[in-house]
Amino acid sequence: MRHLITGQNNCAPDGASSSNPFGALANAVLGQSSKAQSIKELPGPAVGVPSTSDFSTAAPLSTVPGSENEYKQDQRPLARVTVIQNPVILCLPRTPNCPPQRVLSGVLHSFLASGRAGVPFQPVPVPALGLSESEKQCIRDRSCIMARHILADQPEEYIQAQVNTLLHSLDIDNQMRGPMHGPYPEMEEYWKQSQSALRPAPMHNAADNWVTEFGQQSNNPDDWAHSFEQQFGPNGWASEFEQHQSQMAMGQMGGANMANLAAMEQSRMLAQTLASNNDPKFQLSQGADKWASEFSSEHNQGGQSENWINEFSKLNVTDEWAEEFSGGGFGESYADPWADEFQEQLSASRQSSGASRGVYVFSEMNPYVGHPNPMQEGQELFRKGLLSEAILALEAEVLKNSDNAEGWRLLGVTHAENDDDQLAIAAMMRAQEADPRNLEVLLALGVSHTNELEQGEALRYLYRWLQNHPKYGALAPPQSTDTPYGPDIVREAAQMSPDDADVHIVLGVLYNLSREYDKAIAAFKTALQLKPQDYSLWNKLGATQANSVQSADAVLAYQQALDLKPNYVRAWANMGISYANQGLYEDSIRYYVRAVAMNPKADNAWQYLRISLSNASRADMIAACDSRNLDALQKEFPL
Amino acid sequence: MDSSSLKSAQLLEQLRLHLATDAGKELTKKVGLVYQLNIAPKKLGVDEEIYVVDLKKGEVTKGPYQGKPDATFSFTDNDFLGIATGKTNPQMAFIRGAIKIKGSISAAQKFTPDIFPKPAKL
């Protein structure tokens, strides 16, 4: 290993210092000192992370957390730490120019991973990264906060030591209070403490987001952090990253707080800019101050800001950052919105980034992986109305057989019923790849895109439905898909076959798109006469009525749907919407709560719940909403 | 309103219908202000479509306001969508420069998600 590292001296990152940092690394880790020796002995059997000190480079690519690794829970820390710590070195042999961002990203990843896995972060001398003062400051402050968060259960000195180690590695002058401890003596002690404190997975993603985001922030247009991750394969970092991002929104304690902290840091830079710029902006923001507090109290979402604030004050941080923050005339209330912004940016970037659109993100920790017949299991669970369980089983199926069109299709349907159109689209796209002419899939894609307000796409899919239909295909004129395409042709088809429920459904969706709601309602009612037991049809009828402000009628239709399928999350959410749109906020709350109780990942419903709570003057329960405290909410708002 | 490729246009259309209902009329009583929205498809300020949400009269129209709106917002399609659905905190968006505001700050403060009816899902 030493040879490997020292043998790559010719890799000269931009602005690298000339000394042999990698030799130093090798020395530090492998050991001249007895302290280093004790590190090697440290990794105990409980977590089983011995190979991290070996930095065996053969490992990383094969241990990239692919789908198999992910579900072996006890091995995950191992896999993760092994992989993460390697790339810092790995980048060097691979390319002649090691971009500073990549190295930085690697180091930051290592730090996070160590904290997460409970392995003390080891100093990693890296070449000078050419960080500017403000960047250094930013890293310093962020890492303090991050460390405090990942290692929140550790004593202050340990946190401090870890941060110092990180900063020292990055050659950042640490002006933090607290002496620079040698990391090694503490490691042994805290290692034992941390063994039982492995952080839950969701922390990981938030931290990774931060790392990636920071890489982006360094004004490097090439997105090193992203490319670094994606480099390891589509099923490795990239999808894991997105997967975690999608789980971010679950608002689990760790994840949400992480977002808060990172957001605070990011926005601190903004605060700095704002504060230093003179009057006009500042004046405006003074005025916005009231708005800030108003909004932060009413519209705060995405994290347990109150808890975070308590935790933060407990830690008694007197960072210069904090002083600057309050000194700049911004009130404490600003703390909350930073988190929201971060949360929102994450979801915005997740949605808008081309790569992540349509990429299916699998759940973590899927107990059905390894099941002998996950497809059958999935179908059974779906029939029973256990949508979230069905999703897991079906995911297990398509992981096994990625070209199982029916598996993907059912997965898409389940997501839609669970009120998640984005995942529904992602799954349906895979179904479509596997079976391009499947009419149900095309219709489902048309519907989901309609829900996502993507009219162009919706029309294209509905058009393809027609084109691929054995009976009506002839009606579809041979035109480019860009030509606007209205319901008229489908109406013709409907006249051809008045007993075909599906063509009426397509018609109904088309009329929704063209906002001819009355015609849409008529079309769905016709279809319902042919298929009165189709709960999804009742929902479509209700939604059309709701969107044409006939909310009272909508409620009746939703009720029919729910009678047929009691666990229909989408219909519960739609119910909530109908009440809220009528200004009946107290009622809407109950329905939203029921929806999120059935699918805790139903983000839209959570957002709407929050709005309703605020409008119903139930700000007392907003904290419960933000922390996704289902017990409290269900108790308070039963149906 | 005539056709637009903006997602926001669809929400605004829904708002327009909503304002004719009882709940919508409540809104005009509660807010009673006129907002002009300059919504850009991708990049702030580029190819904007202008809408007026008149919560005095209870109307939504396309085109600049004939008169002085109480507040004028500039945002992108996605940001407006986020605000209307409660996903985006408007104040945060403002701080990071994603939203531009002209006019009365107190009027701007009242531009909240509960103004907008939520779309039901097919």
Side-chain angles (χ1 to χ4, degrees), chain A residues 359-379:
Chain A
V359 172
Y360 189 84
V361 177
F362 287 93
S363 318
E364 288 192 353
M365 304 205 284
N366 188 338
Y368 291 93
V369 172
H371 192 284
N373 195 345
M375 182 69 190
Q376 196 177 44
E377 188 69 17
Q379 287 167 320

Side-chain angles (χ1 to χ4, degrees), chain A residues 368-612:
Chain A
Y368 291 93
V369 172
H371 192 284
N373 195 345
M375 182 69 190
Q376 196 177 44
E377 188 69 17
Q379 287 167 320
E380 193 47 41
L381 290 164
F382 179 81
R383 258 192 296 272
K384 289 189 188 151
L386 298 167
L387 298 178
S388 301
E389 288 292 308
I391 285 171
L392 291 173
L394 292 167
E395 283 187 357
E397 168 62 27
V398 298
L399 279 169
K400 236 167 66 169
N401 308 316
S402 61
D403 52 1
N404 182 345
E406 177 55 21
W408 281 112
R409 189 199 69 84
L410 191 55
L411 186 53
V413 168
T414 314
H415 276 302
E417 291 188 6
N418 230 10
D419 203 32
D420 188 340
D421 281 307
Q422 291 205 326
L423 281 175
I425 289 175
M428 281 298 180
M429 299 277 273
R430 300 292 297 263
Q432 204 238 345
E433 271 171 49
D435 185 2
R437 311 197 59 185
N438 187 317
L439 295 175
E440 287 175 304
V441 170
L442 292 169
L443 174 54
L445 281 167
V447 169
S448 284
H449 280 101
T450 302
N451 286 338
E452 293 282 287
L453 305 180
E454 281 159 21
Q455 294 191 313
E457 286 297 305
L459 284 170
R460 265 184 279 274
Y461 283 111
L462 294 172
Y463 179 68
R464 279 160 68 178
W465 180 92
L466 190 69
Q467 259 185 330
N468 284 296
H469 199 287
K471 214 167 163 190
Y472 316 122
L475 289 175
Q479 56 187 167
S480 73
T481 47
D482 284 345
T483 315
Y485 153 69
D488 297 339
I489 302 173
V490 182
R491 204 173 39 226
E492 251 187 80
Q495 281 166 350
M496 265 174 74
S497 312
D499 288 343
D500 179 6
D502 290 339
V503 70
H504 290 280
I505 297 175
V506 172
L507 203 51
V509 180
L510 284 170
Y511 281 132
N512 256 288
L513 286 167
S514 66
R515 290 189 217 124
E516 296 172 89
Y517 292 116
D518 291 336
K519 292 183 183 162
I521 290 170
F524 285 134
K525 282 187 172 168
T526 309
L528 273 167
Q529 281 175 338
L530 298 161
K531 278 186 172 183
Q533 306 296 310
D534 185 342
Y535 54 82
S536 130
L537 251 186
W538 282 108
N539 178 65
K540 289 186 173 68
L541 174 63
T544 310
Q545 289 166 322
N547 288 339
S548 64
V549 293
Q550 297 170 57
S551 292
D553 288 340
V555 167
L556 294 173
Y558 295 143
Q559 198 54 63
Q560 293 277 14
L562 287 170
D563 287 344
L564 289 163
K565 181 153 189 168
N567 291 21
Y568 195 2
V569 178
R570 170 148 281 174
W572 286 109
N574 277 344
M575 273 284 208
I577 289 173
S578 274
Y579 282 104
N581 287 351
Q582 292 178 86
L584 301 168
Y585 296 113
E586 290 83 3
D587 291 310
S588 75
I589 290 172
R590 293 175 205 283
Y591 291 98
Y592 286 139
V593 168
R594 181 62 76 89
V596 298
M598 289 180 174
N599 178 14
K601 295 189 194 179
D603 293 338
N604 279 340
W606 281 110
Q607 282 155 222
Y608 297 166
L609 172 59
R610 203 182 195 283
I611 295 172
S612 279

